[in-house]
Amino acid sequence: MNLVSASTEVLARAAKIKLLISDVDGVLTDGHIYMGAQGEAFKAFNILDGFGIKALQDAGISFAVITGRQSEIVAARMRELSVRYVFQGQSDKTAAFDTLRTQLRLAEDQIAHIGDDLPDLPLIRRVGLGVAVANAYPTLKDAAHYVTQKEGGRGAVREVCDLILAGHGLLDGVVGRYT
């Protein structure tokens, strides 16, 4: 990962993170929803994001999703990645956030959130590391501590996973296993 755009302050924030929460549509996917003739929906997930999520979990940092939509596709992908904390159908993401924070006994500065649109804004403002994807709504970008170089569904989540691992001093170890 090119950490050139990550300031010392952002890396210090990343070093505290014990949980990364992600939105789904527009973050883990590119925001497109393909509908078949029978009403079935299709979404594309980026494999790089999946590897980043697994690397984060392997390092002992939890991953969760809080999304406004309800989708079996999301549930299946999260099961495939062994993501334990999945909150779907959340019109008010703060309620799920509070439940998760209490359950994991974390302070707000130990949590990062990555989003792309206005429903993510309350969480971006509350967490220790608020992240907007490169193609996020401008208000979200303005509120974020960090804006990814990658767009949603194009490796933005992997970028944040690498940023958090770098903040913890663990990224070189992950890369070293494969080089």
Side-chain angles (χ1 to χ4, degrees), residues 30-36 39-44 73 154:
D30 65 6
H32 291 91
I33 299 172
Y34 301 93
M35 301 291 289
E40 67 276 22
F42 301 92
K43 299 180 188 207
I73 298 165
R154 305 277 186 239

Side-chain angles (χ1 to χ4, degrees), residues 2-179:
N2 179 359
L3 292 175
V4 173
S5 66
S7 68
T8 304
E9 178 199 346
V10 168
L11 286 169
R13 288 177 177 276
K16 296 179 183 179
I17 300 306
K18 295 185 177 182
L19 168 66
L20 171 59
I21 300 170
S22 179
D23 182 24
V24 176
D25 295 319
V27 178
L28 283 167
T29 74
D30 65 6
H32 291 91
I33 299 172
Y34 301 93
M35 301 291 289
Q38 305 301 316
E40 67 276 22
F42 301 92
K43 299 180 188 207
F45 294 93
N46 189 298
I47 202 74
L48 295 174
D49 291 341
F51 184 87
I53 291 165
K54 293 300 277 180
L56 207 62
Q57 292 173 322
D58 289 347
I61 299 163
S62 297
F63 183 84
V65 296
I66 300 176
T67 179
R69 294 179 54 90
Q70 185 74 39
S71 168
E72 181 52 39
I73 298 165
V74 171
R77 179 64 174 148
M78 293 305 107
R79 280 192 303 272
E80 186 177 68
L81 294 172
S82 302
V83 173
R84 193 170 156 196
Y85 308 104
V86 179
F87 295 83
Q88 295 197 67
Q90 303 296 309
S91 57
D92 175 9
K93 293 184 178 189
T94 58
F97 173 83
D98 288 335
T99 297
L100 189 54
R101 185 180 59 78
T102 301
Q103 182 179 353
L104 296 176
R105 297 185 175 110
L106 296 175
E108 290 181 351
D109 70 344
Q110 295 176 304
I111 303 170
H113 179 75
I114 180 171
D116 71 317
D117 210 344
L118 294 176
D120 299 301
L121 189 58
L123 300 188
I124 294 287
R125 289 182 170 156
R126 284 183 63 182
V127 297
L129 179 60
V131 180
V133 296
N135 56 325
Y137 191 73
T139 304
L140 206 71
K141 290 165 121 177
D142 291 343
H145 300 109
Y146 181 77
V147 177
T148 63
Q149 295 171 17
K150 303 279 187 182
E151 292 186 351
R154 305 277 186 239
V157 171
R158 171 64 176 276
E159 184 178 333
V160 176
C161 291
D162 286 354
L163 175 66
I164 293 169
L165 290 168
H168 283 266
L170 300 172
L171 183 58
D172 289 340
V174 172
V175 173
R177 278 186 269 174
Y178 299 95
T179 56

